Amino acid sequence: MSDLIRALDLQDITLAGQNWGGPVVGLAAAMNPERFTGAVFSNTYLRLLRKPPKVTPYFRFANMPLIADVAFRLLNLPLPLLTWVQGDPKSIGRREKRAYRYPLRALRDRTAPLALTRMVPTTLEHPTIAELALVDRWARAFAKPVELLWGCKDPILGEAWRVNRNLLPDANVPKTSAGHYLQEEVPEDIANAIQRVLAADRLFTRPPKK
């Protein structure tokens, strides 16, 4: 992603990241800080871990060799759990489930969700800790417009806005009754948050009157 940003010489970027998209685009911003002028984060986690994390049964299972590989491929995890993490389970209906399944039709393609799950740190020695440290440092130094648009009924990250607000104390924090996948429940709120950041960025970067 960083190579693409540099190859296209993108400037004045407003990033939007949810779940793993938060630290992913955050790392791209940390590697190209001068190119980013605004951010919208939703139900994600940007702070570097300072103490050993509490590993949930789901992540303990995902890190079990062989058995997790087979289960993720045969059961197409975590897709059967999508409605469980929503504020309104009906927000992911038959058509939405079909769309989420579409890129994971073949067994060989289902290694991607497992790989992403195993990228979640389970120890302070986890390989992704170094990258998360860069994201944490970038977020603490980022002084441009930011919104933390949150789905408070997310059983995974519903309270994580507090942690991210500590990193980004000047961020606006609109809270919603959505669950984990806000794009399925409050798409208009996401669009409005991006529009507000863009508008604030224009005010932020407008040259002073002579």
Side-chain angles (χ1 to χ4, degrees):
M1 185 181 292
S2 180
D3 289 344
L4 178 64
I5 289 169
R6 295 173 186 176
L8 297 177
D9 194 23
L10 300 180
Q11 305 289 339
D12 300 324
I13 304 170
T14 294
L15 64 85
Q18 181 263 347
N19 198 25
W20 255 120
V24 168
V25 295
L27 182 58
M31 297 172 70
N32 305 273
E34 72 286 352
R35 298 176 183 267
F36 286 80
T37 55
V40 177
F41 291 109
S42 300
N43 292 53
T44 187
Y45 200 93
L46 304 173
R47 192 176 73 176
L48 176 66
L49 296 174
R50 307 293 181 182
K51 58 182 180 180
K54 295 180 180 179
V55 183
T56 66
Y58 177 80
F59 288 102
R60 280 199 298 269
F61 174 77
N63 283 277
M64 295 175 64
L66 297 179
I67 187 172
D69 295 77
V70 173
F72 267 73
R73 292 196 187 200
L74 294 182
L75 301 178
N76 208 3
L77 294 172
L79 296 192
L81 306 176
L82 292 185
T83 57
W84 177 73
V85 297
Q86 292 298 86
D88 176 11
K90 295 180 181 178
S91 63
I92 298 184
R94 184 173 60 182
R95 294 178 63 187
E96 289 79 13
K97 289 178 182 178
R98 182 179 179 185
Y100 279 103
R101 286 196 302 265
Y102 187 82
L104 303 172
R105 300 184 305 282
L107 291 179
R108 66 178 180 274
D109 296 326
R110 297 176 183 177
T111 57
L114 177 59
L116 282 170
T117 302
R118 286 177 172 172
M119 287 170 65
V120 175
T122 53
T123 68
L124 294 181
E125 293 75 36
H126 195 276
T128 59
I129 289 292
E131 283 75 18
L132 287 173
L134 295 176
V135 175
D136 181 295
R137 191 177 308 124
W138 167 81
R140 292 178 188 277
F142 192 64
K144 302 295 178 63
V146 181
E147 294 228 359
L148 300 175
L149 174 65
W150 229 255
C152 295
K153 289 191 177 180
D154 178 357
I156 306 169
L157 293 167
E159 293 296 321
W161 67 268
R162 303 176 190 277
V163 173
N164 292 288
R165 181 69 180 274
N166 289 337
L167 290 181
L168 301 157
D170 296 325
N172 184 35
V173 189
K175 302 184 185 70
T176 76
S177 60
H180 188 66
Y181 296 98
L182 290 87
Q183 64 270 26
E184 305 298 347
E185 296 190 77
V186 289
E188 295 86 0
D189 293 49
I190 297 173
N192 291 336
I194 294 172
Q195 291 287 354
R196 286 193 298 268
V197 167
L198 289 171
D201 176 50
R202 285 192 288 268
L203 292 173
F204 193 91
T205 57
R206 182 178 297 167
K209 295 181 179 180
K210 294 183 180 180

